[in-house]
Amino acid sequence: MVLLAAEGLSKTFGDKTVLNAVDIEIRRGDHISLVGPNGAGKTTLLRILTGQQPADGGRTNLVGTTTIGYLEQP
């Protein structure tokens, strides 16, 4: 069962594109991690998925009562 799906997410800050046509599908029982260098868009992706920041393009879908949370590092 798919809990979260995102299609075609994009986000640009000025002239820097940090997300370009990102597709994600997370299913019940999946174990995931988000790894990449500084500035790669990890936090931006999480903020979009949690609704804290709008994407420039694409869409997200949380199924049923699915919630997303993360603890931001200070």
Side-chain angles (χ1 to χ4, degrees), residues 3-64:
L3 300 176
L4 175 141
E7 297 177 17
L9 294 181
S10 63
K11 185 68 176 179
T12 302
F13 295 100
D15 63 346
K16 182 173 182 179
T17 300
V18 294
L19 300 175
N20 183 23
V22 173
D23 295 331
I24 300 171
E25 188 175 275
I26 300 174
R27 298 178 168 273
R28 183 179 305 274
D30 283 353
H31 297 270
I32 62 169
S33 63
L34 190 56
V35 181
N38 290 344
K42 300 177 301 288
T43 299
T44 299
L45 177 60
L46 288 173
R47 287 180 178 159
I48 290 170
L49 294 176
T50 59
Q52 297 176 13
Q53 187 171 23
D56 293 337
R59 62 183 179 165
T60 61
N61 183 33
L62 291 176
V63 176

